[in-house]
């Protein structure tokens, strides 16, 4: 089994192993198992690491229940990380980004469209190994550092992502993701993102309960 190595020196991830993998060599050690498995899926799907475009869903729903639940939480996170280079996003269960917030206002114009405009799809089968796609594939809290990303465009970035679930059914409703430069890795982000995801889940539950009360009242009336 691939050995868990964590983050490579400098936060860039296993660049040497990624290069060997892309050249068709066998890589059995030095890369974390979830990352290596994702790379293999990307290769099976025929993805290119040089691919820069992603599908865009013009028909995504910008006003659904996940958005309603997430907006206040993301607003607080944006305030918390004001001045930093963090990119905060919420995607649905298909990997379509619904919301974005930024620590620095300048990022709204300086980042490429796929990193600042809602509607792009970051599911693994389209975007390769990335935070949103891997959190959906692994169904758990994950990290992707630098060269662990499959795509060339993300080699200088790091991210941590966590599924957002329906607390009653356990179904994954979406993903909360923090993206940032690989030099800004901070273990404290794990606790922040876990609490934020929990807050979104609680708001989803409260909205469902309120809707059920309205339906019941309508029936009684």
């Amino acid at each position: 089994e691939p050995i868990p190595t964590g983050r490579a020196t400098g936060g860039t991830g296993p660049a040497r192993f990624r290069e060997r993998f892309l050249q068709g060599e066998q890589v059995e050690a030095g890369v974390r198992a979830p990352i290596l498995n994702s790379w293999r899926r990307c290769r099976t799907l025929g993805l290119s690491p040089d691919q820069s475009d992603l599908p865009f869903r013009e028909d995504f729903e910008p006003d659904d229940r996940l958005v309603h639940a997430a907006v206040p939480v993301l607003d607080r996170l944006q305030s918390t990380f004001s001045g930093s280079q963090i990119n905060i996003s919420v995607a649905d269960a298909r990997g379509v980004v619904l919301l974005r917030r930024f620590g620095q206002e300048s990022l709204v114009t300086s980042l490429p469209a796929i990193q600042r405009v809602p509607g792009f799809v970051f599911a693994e089968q389209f975007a390769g190994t990335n935070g949103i796609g891997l959190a959906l594939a692994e169904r758990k809290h994950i990290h992707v550092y630098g060269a662990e990303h499959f795509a060339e465009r993300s080699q200088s970035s790091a991210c941590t992502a966590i599924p957002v679930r329906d607390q009653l059914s356990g179904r994954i409703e979406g993903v909360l993701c923090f993206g940032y430069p690989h030099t800004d890795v901070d273990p404290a982000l794990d606790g922040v993102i876990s609490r934020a995801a929990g807050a979104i889940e609680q708001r989803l539950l409260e909205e469902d309960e309120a809707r059920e009360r309205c339906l019941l009242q309508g029936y009684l009336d």
Side-chain angles (χ1 to χ4, degrees), residues 21 31-45 47 123-125 127-131 133-135 137-138 144 148-150:
F21 177 85
V31 183
R32 295 186 293 132
I35 300 299
L36 184 56
N37 290 338
S38 178
W39 288 357
R40 288 169 173 163
R41 291 192 295 269
C42 293
R43 182 164 59 188
T44 300
L45 290 165
L47 296 181
E124 188 181 71
Q125 63 264 39
T129 309
N130 73 94
L134 192 58
E138 293 286 327
V144 184
E148 290 182 331
H149 290 90
F150 189 76

Side-chain angles (χ1 to χ4, degrees), residues 97-178:
V97 174
L98 305 177
L99 290 169
R100 285 197 181 276
R101 295 290 188 274
F102 307 94
Q104 291 181 1
E105 188 175 343
S106 60
L107 295 176
V108 178
T109 54
S110 63
L111 288 174
I114 61 172
Q115 292 182 310
R116 58 181 170 81
V117 179
F120 285 97
V121 186
F122 281 81
E124 188 181 71
Q125 63 264 39
F126 301 114
T129 309
N130 73 94
I132 292 172
L134 192 58
L136 289 173
E138 293 286 327
R139 303 179 64 82
K140 63 182 181 181
H141 185 180
I142 61 88
H143 305 86
V144 184
Y145 303 110
E148 290 182 331
H149 290 90
F150 189 76
E152 290 290 340
R153 64 175 178 271
S154 302
Q155 296 301 290
S156 63
S157 301
C159 56
T160 180
I162 187 170
V164 174
R165 288 181 164 85
D166 182 302
Q167 291 188 348
L168 295 179
S169 68
R171 181 180 66 248
I172 291 179
E173 298 289 341
V175 174
L176 174 63
C177 182
F178 292 173

Side-chain angles (χ1 to χ4, degrees), residues 64-119:
D64 72 356
R65 58 192 290 270
L66 180 58
V67 171
H68 277 286
V71 163
V73 179
L74 261 65
D75 287 345
R76 290 197 296 271
L77 288 171
Q78 183 176 33
S79 177
T80 298
F81 291 107
S82 177
S84 73
Q85 296 188 63
I86 199 165
N87 181 342
I88 307 164
S89 59
V90 167
D92 66 16
R94 301 174 299 165
V96 181
V97 174
L98 305 177
L99 290 169
R100 285 197 181 276
R101 295 290 188 274
F102 307 94
Q104 291 181 1
E105 188 175 343
S106 60
L107 295 176
V108 178
T109 54
S110 63
L111 288 174
I114 61 172
Q115 292 182 310
R116 58 181 170 81
V117 179

